[in-house]
Amino acid sequence: MTKENLIELLNKDLKLEYSAAIQYIQHAAVMTGAQFGDIIKELKIHANEEIQHAITLADQIDFLGGVPVVDVGKISVSSDNVQMLKQDLACEEDAIERYKVRISQAQELKELALAQQLMNILATEQEHAMDLKQALGK
Ligand SMILES: [Fe+2]
Ligand SMILES: [Fe+2]
């Protein structure tokens, strides 16, 4: 693991934070039904938190000497509420796995401030996954 490898991986994370924000905005807008009212509000909060993650990652990439990407990763859409929530949960579970790995990579390079920032992001992703699981009755 070199600093360059880490910058590349953080840029992949950044792309997926952009995607997550857009996916949440779209899902919150198209989701309907009174029983989904609470989770729709949560999805909008998640969208804002994903933007905050993107800002943090972009700043950290710049600090490490890299150039933050501006392209967006895969976005999943559906016309079915439950399907949308499952898509969102899959993204969160992927993020949780990626950030666990990223934290140890940052620690390996002694980038401890970055590791701390990634731990904060990981904690939010875990909350997001919990909100979605609850809404899915899992
Ligand atoms: Fe995020
Ligand atoms: Fe998230």
Side-chain angles (χ1 to χ4, degrees), residues 22 25 34 49 56 58 60 63 69 78 93 112 114 116:
I22 295 168
I25 291 168
E49 288 171 335
T56 300
Q60 291 291 319
F63 177 75
V69 292
S78 173
E93 284 174 341
L112 302 182
L114 170 64
Q116 185 59 57

Side-chain angles (χ1 to χ4, degrees), residues 1-16 57 60-62 64-71 98-99 102 105 109 114:
M1 179 62 44
T2 64
K3 203 156 118 175
E4 287 65 37
N5 296 147
L6 184 60
I7 290 168
E8 202 175 308
L9 291 165
L10 290 168
N11 261 325
K12 282 190 184 157
D13 297 327
L14 177 57
K15 265 166 90 163
L16 293 168
L57 290 178
Q60 291 291 319
I61 290 164
D62 174 74
L64 289 171
V67 180
V69 292
V70 291
D71 49 342
R98 275 185 290 107
Y99 288 124
R102 213 67 73 237
Q105 291 166 332
L109 287 176
L114 170 64

Side-chain angles (χ1 to χ4, degrees), residues 35 41 44-45 54 56 62 68 70-71 103 105 122 124 126 137:
Q35 71 274 39
K41 278 184 207 147
K44 291 177 181 174
I45 294 168
T56 300
D62 174 74
V70 291
D71 49 342
I103 290 162
Q105 291 166 332
L122 174 62
T124 326
Q126 284 174 332

Side-chain angles (χ1 to χ4, degrees), residues 38-124:
D38 289 343
I39 190 68
I40 291 167
K41 278 184 207 147
E42 282 302 325
L43 299 187
K44 291 177 181 174
I45 294 168
H46 291 191
N48 278 304
E49 288 171 335
E50 307 303 8
I51 294 286
Q52 283 308 314
H53 295 167
I55 291 170
T56 300
L57 290 178
D59 282 344
Q60 291 291 319
I61 290 164
D62 174 74
F63 177 75
L64 289 171
V67 180
V69 292
V70 291
D71 49 342
V72 178
K74 183 175 171 273
I75 298 166
S76 301
V77 295
S78 173
S79 53
D80 178 74
N81 289 354
V82 170
Q83 192 55 34
M84 282 186 257
L85 294 175
K86 285 182 179 170
Q87 290 168 341
D88 297 337
L89 181 57
C91 291
E92 294 296 346
E93 284 174 341
D94 172 65
I96 289 165
E97 290 317 305
R98 275 185 290 107
Y99 288 124
K100 283 181 183 169
V101 175
R102 213 67 73 237
I103 290 162
S104 45
Q105 291 166 332
Q107 285 167 335
E108 190 189 317
L109 287 176
K110 300 276 186 281
E111 294 290 347
L112 302 182
L114 170 64
Q116 185 59 57
Q117 299 278 352
L118 293 169
M119 278 183 224
N120 296 339
I121 294 177
L122 174 62
T124 326

